[in-house]
Amino acid sequence: MKRYLPIAVAVASIVSAGQVMAKEMDMSKATCKEVGALPPAKTIAVALWVNGYVHGKAGNPVIDSDKAQANAEKVADYCRSNPDSTLADAIEALAK
């Protein structure tokens, strides 16, 4: 049972985040300024998407919530300094 709890929590988070994101957003073109202007609930949905995207590209299905939080903070810091950068560029710059 313990094995399935994280999966259930992740699915519930994604479903609730998806319900919050009523407007479609092209994540390859979304700027830091646009993401920063979203309400907090939508920002969480974007953070979940980013985390899944990065882990998917790495072929790693495991999530470390502490690292995910730290990475989200790094992206937020980068975006505050580079508001016209795309979110994809922010992720790429921090991955180097």
Side-chain angles (χ1 to χ4, degrees):
M1 184 65 170
K2 286 183 181 181
R3 182 176 183 181
Y4 298 106
L5 182 60
I7 295 169
V9 170
V11 170
S13 297
I14 292 167
V15 169
S16 64
Q19 292 171 346
V20 172
M21 298 257 322
K23 181 180 173 187
E24 288 185 7
M25 180 179 265
D26 182 344
M27 296 305 289
S28 67
K29 297 176 183 175
T31 66
C32 289
K33 187 185 305 182
E34 291 170 333
V35 173
L38 294 172
K42 288 187 180 185
T43 304
I44 291 169
V46 170
L48 287 169
W49 180 89
V50 167
N51 191 47
Y53 174 81
V54 170
H55 280 267
K57 293 284 276 184
N60 180 4
V62 178
I63 183 170
D64 178 330
S65 61
D66 292 336
K67 285 184 182 178
Q69 177 67 32
N71 289 337
E73 290 173 7
K74 288 178 189 175
V75 171
D77 289 343
Y78 181 92
C79 282
R80 277 191 279 282
S81 300
N82 303 282
D84 294 324
S85 176
T86 65
L87 191 57
D89 289 340
I91 295 165
E92 186 175 324
L94 293 170
K96 292 180 182 178

